[in-house]
Amino acid sequence: MRTATKAGKRTRGKAANANQGDGLPALDDVDEQIIAALRKNGRIANRDIAREMGLNEATVRTRLRRLEDASMVRVVAMRDLSAMGFGYLAPVGVQVKGRSAGDVGAEIAELERVITVNVAIGTHDLEIQVVAETLEEMQHLLTGVIAKIDGVERLFPSLALKVFKYNPEWAPL
Amino acid sequence: MSARISLDELDHKIIERLGHDARVSNREIGREFDLTEGTIRSRLKRLLDNRVIRVAAVTNANRLRNPILAYLWVEADSAADIEKVAESLASLPEIGFVATTLGRADVLAMTLVENGNELTDFLHQTIDKIPGVRRVRYSLGQNFIKHDYRWCALVD
């Protein structure tokens, strides 16, 4: 979720150490610049990236394929929630009892309308985000579906009034 | 939020296809769907121009040593400050999600950090200095069970 430049710097600064343990290949400046270009516009042609960076197209193509094959980067279409009809977004804290947070989270994660599930440290055991097309559907999902999952003790919902920014740049791939 | 345009089955198919791999060429999508490249190109242009989708690179969070998604529940000094606080938070490059909310706080912001020190620094050096921020509570999402990166909000 950080910007290209900042994330690039952070990753680059730690690359030497970070790669020893986790087996992910290191990113060099060229990789970082390709990623930065694709964060701005995922449909930009390899040829245009190459021209901007003063490389040849084959280099860009090979680099990008390597990044994708190693699951370091994916270029995808992200769908706008409201344009897809989901006018309601609820960040919900979940308090779990009698079952592990991970198990309950995994069951909640099976629901299509739940777009994120995190095991959390803090007041609640899980932080989830639920989307719905109508308030009625949201009510049904929270009270009728999620509340009835085994181990869900209490829900602490909030509802987004206006989304100012939602731009995922990092994700488990 | 973006204006609604109606989407038909083909739009949904194109969006679904690009949700897996958006580097595929229009010609290739056309071949898969038995349509011309021009049809795909114009459909895609309409989806992009109307801000239904955005095509961009997502980086693997596993590259971070120990990714923690910090949920910052922000309380504003007064109700009149809420919108300004949300705008200030949204302008920070470190923050990927900002919304004004009903319920648990006035504003929810999310940021990805690698450790507690980084979060502490960010809270003290950056967030606390934003005018109108009264108090920040936070929860830390440690284990990503699900994170559907194909959703976003295309706001101006």
Side-chain angles (χ1 to χ4, degrees):
Chain A
M1 289 201 178
R2 295 185 181 257
T3 55
T5 20
K6 181 138 193 195
K9 275 181 199 141
R10 288 153 46 81
T11 315
R12 194 154 55 231
K14 296 191 174 171
N17 299 326
N19 291 324
Q20 288 171 357
D22 54 20
L24 288 171
L27 298 183
D28 65 12
D29 281 1
V30 174
D31 296 322
E32 302 280 7
Q33 285 179 48
I34 293 173
I35 293 170
L38 290 168
R39 274 194 168 138
K40 267 187 272 171
N41 172 13
R43 292 291 285 177
I44 187 175
N46 289 342
R47 195 180 338 118
D48 294 330
I49 302 178
R51 191 163 37 214
E52 276 176 28
M53 294 174 52
L55 298 168
N56 66 54
E57 189 186 341
T59 309
V60 173
R61 191 172 51 238
T62 316
R63 291 286 190 131
L64 184 55
R65 188 174 305 141
R66 190 178 64 89
L67 292 169
E68 286 177 325
D69 287 349
S71 280
M72 289 196 280
V73 169
R74 273 177 79 179
V75 180
V76 297
M78 300 172 199
R79 304 162 291 182
D80 179 78
L81 280 168
S82 67
M84 298 298 283
F86 294 109
Y88 296 89
L89 169 66
V92 182
V94 183
Q95 195 176 303
V96 171
K97 197 177 179 186
R99 217 180 152 198
S100 84
D103 287 353
V104 175
E107 197 170 330
I108 293 174
E110 286 171 20
L111 300 168
E112 208 201 328
R113 295 286 194 256
V114 174
I115 60 172
T116 61
V117 178
N118 264 260
V119 176
I121 304 170
T123 332
H124 313 303
D125 301 302
L126 295 167
E127 288 285 354
I128 68 173
Q129 283 184 286
V130 186
V131 297
E133 292 186 37
T134 61
L135 204 49
E136 193 184 7
E137 187 192 12
M138 183 62 81
Q139 183 274 334
H140 171 69
L141 283 164
L142 294 179
T143 334
V145 181
I146 297 171
K148 293 189 176 157
I149 290 174
D150 186 28
V152 171
E153 166 109 316
R154 286 190 72 191
L155 298 179
F156 298 85
S158 57
L159 187 67
L161 281 174
K162 180 181 174 188
V163 178
F164 284 73
K165 185 179 193 178
Y166 183 9
N167 182 19
E169 289 192 328
W170 291 88
L173 297 179
Chain B
M1 297 201 186
S2 34
R4 295 280 173 83
I5 57 162
S6 61
L7 305 175
D8 68 10
E9 202 187 325
L10 177 59
D11 294 315
H12 284 288
K13 274 171 72 180
I14 293 173
I15 294 169
E16 189 63 29
R17 178 68 183 82
L18 294 173
H20 299 293
D21 168 21
R23 293 298 286 170
V24 61
S25 68
N26 293 338
R27 195 178 317 131
E28 173 59 27
I29 304 175
R31 194 156 42 218
E32 287 173 22
F33 295 168
D34 212 7
L35 292 165
T36 65
E37 190 220 336
T39 306
I40 304 297
R41 188 177 352 106
S42 63
R43 286 295 188 123
L44 189 54
K45 184 171 186 313
R46 179 173 169 268
L47 293 172
L48 290 165
D49 288 351
N50 286 284
R51 304 170 81 73
V52 175
I53 58 169
R54 162 177 183 258
V55 177
V58 179
T59 322
N60 196 338
N62 295 338
R63 285 205 63 75
L64 302 177
R65 202 180 272 271
N66 177 24
I68 300 169
L69 186 60
Y71 293 70
L72 312 177
W73 303 94
V74 181
E75 203 179 292
D77 277 331
S78 74
D81 291 318
I82 294 174
E83 191 147 18
K84 213 171 59 216
V85 167
E87 280 165 4
S88 304
L89 288 164
S91 72
L92 297 173
E94 293 91 341
I95 290 185
F97 177 98
V98 178
T100 48
T101 57
L102 290 176
R104 297 166 68 187
D106 293 323
V107 180
L108 169 62
M110 294 187 203
T111 184
L112 202 61
V113 294
E114 285 184 278
N115 56 55
N117 289 340
E118 197 180 309
L119 178 62
T120 314
D121 284 353
F122 186 60
L123 287 174
H124 291 156
Q125 308 297 326
T126 310
I127 304 291
D128 284 353
K129 290 181 180 157
I130 295 174
V133 170
R134 179 199 295 268
R135 195 164 77 106
V136 181
R137 283 173 297 122
Y138 55 89
S139 40
L140 303 177
Q142 267 230 302
N143 186 352
F144 295 85
I145 294 178
K146 182 175 186 178
H147 191 89
D148 193 337
Y149 52 81
R150 291 169 308 162
W151 291 109
C152 68
L154 297 168
V155 282
D156 294 316

